[in-house]
Amino acid sequence: NDAPALKLADIGIAMGIAGTEVAKEASDMVLTDDNFSSIVAAVAEGRSIYNNMKAFIRYMISSNIGEVASIFLTAALGLPENLIPVQLLWVNLVTDGPPATALGFNKADKDIMQKPPRKSDDGLINAWVFVRFMVVGLYVGLATVGAFCSWYMFDSFMGIDLSADGHTTVTWHQLTHWQSCPTWEGFAPNNYTAGGALVSFDQPCEYFTEGKAKATTLALTVIVVIEMANALNALSEDNSIVTMPPWSNPWLLVAMFISIGLHCVILYVPVLAGIFQIVPLSVNEWALVLLWALPVVLIDEALKI
């Protein structure tokens, strides 16, 4: 007698233990433990899975927008190429992978069951989420280009001494018009040091090609570190990092450690550094990386308000 009512109900629910086989077949949901509180737990788990899927998408899209923005800004401003293909491949396949996977283990938001049900036709990405993608992505691109230019243009940047390697600074006009370098009179940049080795070039204008190794390394390291910071932003779509701290997902911390560790391997193992055309960084240069990378957390925190 229950079967017709179960069929007509919006959601027909049958008991898994006490219910009849006919009722189970006619229902949309079967409670295997005959406990209605299981529905609440299932809804919470479903919402958590959905949010983690969105976190993965949010992290990957905003990170990729940042890489595109970096390439676009470099070309639009006329700067030397700040990231080469093998470096972009490294970022996409190796350093992005572990944090993106670990976001699937995010714990549910503390207020997950206080939120109203989402509409069945709601998209994964709404207008406001897209704006957040663009803002964070554009900052990633800006920071990558900013670190590249900082090394070329300054001996000291925001209180960080960059002069220890002995590199020669150039003006903004020179950096954005580097292709006209052969016409410059008296341009004679110095060779500089990196990790105890000397970075040298035969012709002055090679300072913007072979000689850009340090600037390229800074740009690559900024994009790696900034994407680790961006993974922290993805712990929760709406809640602050104070409410959902990094240690709420230990797997994410492990993944970030692995990604940074792998990046340090290619930085400080000479054979690998040669393949990726990068050089070791000093403590001050790591400080410059953090200066450009960490504000992405503050930016997304502001967008969550």
Side-chain angles (χ1 to χ4, degrees), residues 79 82 140-151 154 157 222 288 292:
L79 298 168
N82 65 345
V140 173
L142 178 64
T144 306
V145 174
F148 183 87
C149 295
S150 299
W151 183 81
F154 301 100
F157 185 79
V222 163
L288 179 67
W292 281 105

Side-chain angles (χ1 to χ4, degrees), residues 6 25 50 60 79 101 121 130 181 191 211 221 235 249 293 303:
L6 289 169
E25 290 179 7
Y50 182 77
M60 294 303 295
L79 298 168
T101 304
D121 58 350
F130 181 74
C181 173
N191 297 332
T221 306
L235 281 167
N249 184 351
L303 293 172

Side-chain angles (χ1 to χ4, degrees), residues 225-244:
V225 174
I226 207 171
E227 291 186 5
M228 297 305 102
N230 195 27
L232 298 178
N233 292 335
L235 281 167
S236 174
E237 182 176 8
D238 303 311
N239 291 327
S240 167
I241 198 172
V242 177
T243 306
M244 293 288 289

Side-chain angles (χ1 to χ4, degrees), residues 231-286:
L232 298 178
N233 292 335
L235 281 167
S236 174
E237 182 176 8
D238 303 311
N239 291 327
S240 167
I241 198 172
V242 177
T243 306
M244 293 288 289
W247 50 87
S248 65
N249 184 351
W251 291 109
L252 179 59
L253 296 179
V254 171
M256 291 169 62
F257 178 81
I258 290 172
S259 293
I260 294 294
L262 288 171
H263 185 66
C264 288
V265 168
I266 68 167
L267 275 181
Y268 297 104
V269 175
V271 174
L272 296 176
I275 294 173
F276 288 93
Q277 299 180 33
I278 55 179
V279 295
L281 296 179
S282 67
V283 173
N284 280 11
E285 287 155 359
W286 272 105

